[in-house]
Amino acid sequence: MSALVFLIVILFAFYLFYKTKYFRSSRPVEKKWLAAKSNIALGLFVGLFGINHIFFISQTTVTTIVSVIFIVYGAVFTWVGVKKYKHYLPFAAEEAESYNAQ
């Protein structure tokens, strides 16, 4: 349980880190790429939060339903974030090279 809580805290820190970088970035494609990375971190955070609740918190029907919703929501967010990350990665690299060449 403590390892799961540790991962949840680390993923929330990564989410905040990437969101901060997103707001500080001035490059448009890099912003989309960072948003995808923050989606991945948020999705994993929410999914692990749901897994933690389903296994280690009191077992009521409402808790189980909410936990399953969190797990599904986290999986969807992670999947969409990975797809966006793969899509924007080459464009972000190209944009970084063009900004460095100037």
Side-chain angles (χ1 to χ4, degrees), residues 68-82:
V68 169
I69 290 171
F70 276 15
I71 293 168
V72 170
Y73 186 72
V76 169
F77 245 65
T78 303
W79 180 65
V80 169
V82 168

Side-chain angles (χ1 to χ4, degrees), residues 4-102:
L4 197 56
V5 172
F6 178 74
L7 281 174
I8 290 169
V9 170
I10 293 298
L11 286 168
F12 186 68
F14 271 118
Y15 171 71
L16 291 177
F17 173 73
Y18 288 129
K19 252 332 170 185
T20 304
K21 285 186 75 166
Y22 168 82
F23 285 118
R24 298 184 80 192
S25 177
S26 61
R27 302 175 189 168
V29 179
E30 184 183 35
K31 285 182 90 122
K32 292 178 182 179
W33 182 62
L34 289 168
K37 289 170 86 171
S38 69
N39 274 354
I40 294 169
L42 181 64
L44 289 173
F45 165 73
V46 171
L48 286 178
F49 192 79
I51 289 171
N52 187 41
H53 271 268
I54 210 165
F55 288 118
F56 299 111
I57 306 297
S58 64
Q59 292 296 321
T60 63
T61 306
V62 175
T63 304
T64 305
I65 291 170
V66 170
S67 298
V68 169
I69 290 171
F70 276 15
I71 293 168
V72 170
Y73 186 72
V76 169
F77 245 65
T78 303
W79 180 65
V80 169
V82 168
K83 287 185 66 85
K84 285 182 180 181
Y85 176 82
K86 288 180 181 179
H87 175 74
Y88 287 119
L89 181 61
F91 300 117
E94 181 181 320
E95 184 180 59
E97 287 177 9
S98 68
Y99 272 85
N100 289 339
Q102 291 177 356

